Amino acid sequence: MSDPRTPLPLPEVRMQPVQSLPSTPHRTALLDAAGWRAAGIAAFAKLHPRAMLGSPVMAVVLAGTLLAAVLTASGHAPFGFGIAVTAILFVTVLFANFAEAVAEARGRGQAASLRSARRDLMARRIVGANEERVAASALKPGDQVIVSAGEWIPSDGEIESGFATINESAVTGESAPVLREAGTDRSGVIGGTKVLTDEIVVRITSEPGHSFLDRMIALVEGASRQKTPNEIALTILLAAMTLTFLVVVVTLPALASFVDASIEPLLLIALLVCLIPTTIGGLLPAIGIAGMNRALSANVLAKSGKAVEVAGDIDTLLLDKTGTITHGDRQATQFHPVSGVTREQLRDAALLASLADVTPEGKSIVALARSLGAGAVEAEHANFVGFSANTRMSGVDLPGGRVLRKGAVDAIERNVAALGGSVPAELRARVDQVARGGATPLVVADGHNVLGVVALSDVVKHGIRERFARLRAMGIRTVMITGDNPLTAAAIAAEAGVDDFMAEARPEDKLARIRAEQQGGRLVAMVGDGTNDAPALAQADIGLAMNSGTQAAKEAGNMVDLDSDPAKLLEVVEIGKQQLITRGALTTFSLANDVSKYFAILPALFAAAIPQMAALDVMRLSSPRNAVLAALIFNALIIPALIPLALRGVRFTPRSAVSLLRRNMLIYGLGGVLLPFVAIKLIDLLLAAGFGV
Ligand SMILES: Nc1ncnc2c1ncn2[C@@H]1O[C@H](COP(=O)(O)OP(=O)(O)OP(=O)(O)O)[C@@H](O)[C@H]1O
Ligand SMILES: [K+]
Ligand SMILES: [Mg+2]
């Protein structure tokens, strides 16, 4: 096998014409013709009582429709007018169902490209020293399979040995090959993706039928959609409002009888439907589904709609340094011995301590030592000690009692002290020299003697500073948490522009920091990819795992970024905020609308009985019946008219919550009051011009 770091000669591969996920949903059409048709049919299917109960507001409209039909048929309402009211109410319910169906159809469209990645695959399963061919669907967690260049990975898993370049475009829509490697934080592979070069042994981690793709498709198609807490709260509020108006409308005839007026029952139904928040009630499910769809358009798989929404309220973002803020390709670049030790002694000790180190850091030390002329080293009967995030050290115990260790500065200092040694004063200077440039110093010790420092260089990702600035503009604080020493951490923190950092952190320190933030009443997001990040990913309110990361990280988080781009959190936050704002704006609009409809309908209701009501008749509509019809028609039409806004979301720019609120109150509150006046007047003119009943 060649060294994984040298650029791999990629074979000529014919990329499959995969449909990539739409990355600019704002410019694409809402649906294609087939999608519209399917949504239209689904709107009728959703008339099923069980489906209707999910939306109390619309259930009341449907009940009103049936009542209007009965009144009309039994001669308790003027026939033509009765038919018209019944029809408009029925269409109102259909429009609301249609809005939800369109959102779902969009999700299915996105899932179609994913489904094409889920094909019938064969696997080469390892049994003892042999291999057998089995269907991918027969693979169980724990099975080991071999996948070579040109073959498809049969199911989700983790690379046990080897490395490979993989085309993940079927899942991510990104055709650039990615490198996945055993023993690193980039060991996760997905079923349905293709190995381009080399050969890997994969340990299967997913149950048949429950692969990443399977779950993703179910989510996108809305099969496992659950209402978010905010959505449930709003549904309850809307139901309470509906109930209140119902009581008001039902008691109205009694009130009217005091002034010797009687109100037609049909008009009462019309009044009720105009007053209850039908617009937001009808669009609410669509808004929720659209949030999930938008996340997927950004190549983020959210495990629930709640996760997307919580992202909109995040206060603090925690990130690890290596691989998240930096490229994570930590490479040994230099040996810095302390005085009394030669560069060669340090080099050879570092080499010995890294021979069996599978981490990229360890391998790069071996490569650097060899390139600097290190010869064959004697390591027979050696006992290698692997790197762990808890000890933050690795090394080797040689026969004869020689103990070589390399690791984080504080970890080695403690170890040397425990062995009865002391750290030479000049070590600090060597460490600082390396760390000030943002490189990671690894201290090498032979027993209780410190030999020197290995510099591991890493590069801050391009454009990350701008991303953090954008997060800051939205009021989100960024904190870098790293196992590295404080000086390196400070150098990288300054370069990347994070607000705060925490150094020399072990996994439990990360967890404690998240808990502390949460106890302060803040919502915390965490981005990570390693198994050592898993507890923190699980504890955080938003755990965004990298798709390239380990299975443990992906299971622990509540979101996976298919592009493995930590800065993606920014988009997730914006999608969450946009969803919250869209729901808020449309609620404002809906309630404002209803106020205006009141002015259209109430004078019509009482005009005959209470002449003083004429003072309220600001719209001067052609006739009481036309007024009622115009208000109901507007009430129905506004739902489909707002579907594009509900699905695409209200325009969002990072700014303070207060200024956003002011802007939206102006547009959706004031607009919501004014629009019905104009629209209802226009509809009334049309009705009076010949369509009136
Ligand atoms: N292979 C290794 N052998 C010995 N020590 C290592 C090795 N790799 C890293 N270290 C040391 O352990 C520290 C913690 O490494 P780890 O990868 O766990 O960091 P982390 O907590 O994920 O934070 P970050 O990734 O942001 O640096 C490193 O800063 C380094 O000093
Ligand atoms: K209404
Ligand atoms: Mg790390």
Side-chain angles (χ1 to χ4, degrees):
M1 253 191 262
S2 62
D3 184 89
R5 318 228 147 263
T6 55
L8 292 157
L10 290 183
E12 206 45 51
V13 276
R14 252 182 317 122
M15 290 293 177
Q16 306 243 288
V18 283
Q19 288 163 270
S20 65
L21 301 167
S23 55
T24 50
H26 291 263
R27 288 178 214 294
T28 52
L30 277 184
L31 280 179
D32 59 8
W36 286 115
R37 224 173 302 124
I41 294 167
F44 282 91
K46 285 176 187 293
L47 288 171
H48 192 286
R50 201 169 344 104
M52 290 303 303
L53 282 180
S55 167
V57 183
M58 280 302 147
V60 167
V61 180
L62 187 60
T65 311
L66 296 176
L67 198 57
V70 170
L71 287 171
T72 309
S74 61
H76 286 85
F79 192 70
F81 182 59
I83 296 257
V85 169
T86 308
I88 299 169
L89 294 187
F90 185 54
V91 167
T92 310
V93 178
L94 283 181
F95 279 159
N97 288 351
F98 184 65
E100 183 175 353
V102 170
E104 286 171 351
R106 268 163 73 86
R108 265 194 298 279
Q110 284 179 299
S113 61
L114 293 173
R115 228 181 286 110
S116 69
R118 190 172 56 176
R119 54 191 92 224
D120 295 328
L121 298 169
M122 291 300 287
R124 292 157 57 195
R125 181 162 61 189
I126 300 175
V127 268
N130 302 316
E131 60 174 71
E132 59 177 10
R133 286 183 70 80
V134 294
S137 54
L139 291 174
K140 284 184 291 298
D143 283 354
Q144 293 191 329
V145 296
I146 302 176
V147 195
S148 305
E151 294 176 340
W152 300 90
I153 294 172
S155 184
D156 299 353
E158 204 147 336
I159 304 181
E160 286 266 286
S161 66
F163 64 88
T165 48
I166 296 173
N167 176 4
E168 291 191 341
S169 62
V171 175
T172 63
E174 175 59 59
S175 58
V178 293
L179 180 67
R180 297 281 178 263
E181 188 175 1
T184 68
D185 285 348
R186 286 173 254 173
S187 59
V189 292
I190 312 172
T193 60
K194 191 175 190 176
V195 172
L196 298 177
T197 65
D198 302 281
E199 185 175 271
I200 46 178
V201 174
V202 175
R203 186 172 43 80
I204 301 300
T205 52
S206 78
E207 295 281 351
H210 287 86
S211 73
F212 195 61
L213 268 179
D214 293 321
R215 280 183 291 167
M216 195 153 157
I217 289 166
L219 271 169
V220 175
E221 290 189 336
S224 49
R225 190 180 107 81
Q226 287 173 326
K227 283 185 182 165
T228 67
N230 280 326
E231 199 176 332
I232 292 170
L234 187 54
T235 306
I236 293 172
L237 181 73
L238 296 182
M241 287 177 68
T242 304
L243 191 67
T244 310
F245 283 124
L246 191 64
V247 171
V248 168
V249 169
V250 165
T251 51
L252 216 51
L255 290 176
S257 68
F258 282 118
V259 289
D260 281 334
S262 75
I263 311 170
E264 280 182 57
L266 200 60
L267 291 184
L268 286 176
I269 296 173
L271 176 66
L272 177 64
V273 171
C274 282
L275 290 182
I276 63 177
T278 46
T279 313
I280 184 64
L283 293 172
L284 201 52
I287 297 169
I289 297 169
M292 294 282 282
N293 291 351
R294 269 199 297 276
L296 192 68
S297 292
N299 266 358
V300 172
L301 172 63
K303 292 186 185 169
S304 72
K306 180 185 170 199
V308 175
E309 225 172 80
V310 170
D313 280 332
I314 285 302
D315 303 296
T316 309
L317 167 60
L318 305 182
L319 314 100
D320 84 338
K321 171 174 72 71
T322 310
T324 303
I325 292 174
T326 66
H327 281 289
D329 211 14
R330 277 195 291 216
Q331 299 279 324
T333 48
Q334 246 177 329
F335 294 114
H336 300 276
V338 294
S339 46
V341 178
T342 67
R343 202 170 292 271
E344 286 67 34
Q345 282 170 324
L346 174 61
R347 176 196 71 193
D348 293 345
L351 173 62
L352 258 173
S354 305
L355 274 182
D357 188 345
V358 294
T359 66
E361 290 84 355
K363 287 180 188 170
S364 80
I365 291 174
V366 174
L368 179 67
R370 296 240 190 269
S371 77
L372 291 177
V377 278
E378 185 58 47
E380 223 168 293
H381 304 298
N383 184 20
F384 290 102
V385 179
F387 170 72
S388 90
N390 272 312
T391 60
R392 290 185 294 128
M393 290 191 298
S394 60
V396 62
D397 297 342
L398 295 167
R402 197 172 167 208
V403 175
L404 290 177
R405 287 290 180 276
K406 65 177 198 291
V409 184
D410 61 316
I412 294 290
E413 278 177 351
R414 255 194 310 275
N415 199 50
V416 164
L419 292 174
S422 63
V423 174
E426 71 162 302
L427 179 68
R428 193 49 28 211
R430 292 274 165 279
V431 162
D432 290 358
Q433 178 191 348
V434 170
R436 248 190 302 271
T440 297
L442 277 196
V443 180
V444 182
D446 188 344
H448 62 245
N449 296 316
V450 171
L451 301 182
V453 177
V454 185
L456 298 172
S457 297
D458 201 353
V459 182
V460 169
K461 284 182 182 169
H462 182 73
I464 201 118
R465 208 185 166 83
E466 291 70 33
R467 300 276 196 141
F468 288 152
R470 212 173 141 89
L471 284 168
R472 200 169 301 118
M474 287 192 277
I476 296 171
R477 225 161 51 88
T478 49
V479 183
M480 179 179 93
I481 304 196
T482 174
D484 223 325
N485 74 92
L487 214 57
T488 307
I492 298 288
E495 194 180 340
V498 288
D499 296 318
D500 193 7
F501 69 89
M502 180 181 175
E504 293 177 345
R506 291 157 305 158
E508 60 258 40
D509 300 323
K510 298 188 186 188
L511 200 56
R513 177 68 184 245
I514 293 180
R515 290 223 173 95
E517 292 275 342
Q518 285 171 330
Q519 268 150 20
R522 285 177 288 273
L523 282 173
V524 182
M526 159 89 195
V527 174
D529 59 358
T531 301
N532 65 343
D533 296 324
L537 285 170
Q539 176 66 32
D541 300 285
I542 292 293
L544 178 64
M546 301 293 98
N547 183 35
S548 58
T550 61
Q551 199 65 27
K554 285 198 267 187
E555 290 293 335
N558 50 10
M559 287 189 190
V560 176
D561 177 29
L562 298 175
D563 298 326
S564 305
D565 171 12
K568 190 64 76 66
L569 194 94
L570 182 72
E571 272 155 75
V572 175
V573 168
E574 289 190 355
I575 289 166
K577 281 202 190 298
Q578 197 183 32
Q579 179 165 353
L580 292 170
I581 292 166
T582 302
R583 195 185 291 134
L586 288 179
T587 304
T588 310
F589 188 80
S590 179
L591 299 184
N593 257 223
D594 294 339
V595 172
S596 306
K597 277 174 242 165
Y598 193 75
F599 282 96
I601 242 183
L602 219 53
L605 234 54
F606 291 102
I610 316 169
Q612 294 90 322
M613 272 283 180
L616 270 183
D617 187 9
V618 287
M619 288 200 202
R620 311 249 158 240
L621 302 177
S622 55
S623 77
R625 281 189 189 161
N626 277 354
V628 170
L629 289 182
L632 284 182
I633 290 173
F634 173 79
N635 191 56
L637 287 180
I638 195 70
I639 296 175
L642 290 176
I643 289 178
L645 188 64
L647 296 190
R648 292 191 170 128
V650 169
R651 199 171 59 83
F652 172 75
T653 42
R655 56 160 112 188
S656 78
V658 177
S659 85
L660 266 175
L661 190 68
R662 204 178 304 127
R663 170 177 172 271
N664 286 339
M665 284 308 278
L666 199 71
I667 297 178
Y668 297 96
L670 197 61
V673 170
L674 295 180
L675 180 69
F677 279 97
V678 180
I680 291 175
K681 184 76 191 171
L682 279 176
I683 298 171
D684 177 66
L685 287 176
L686 284 175
L687 289 173
F691 304 100
V693 248

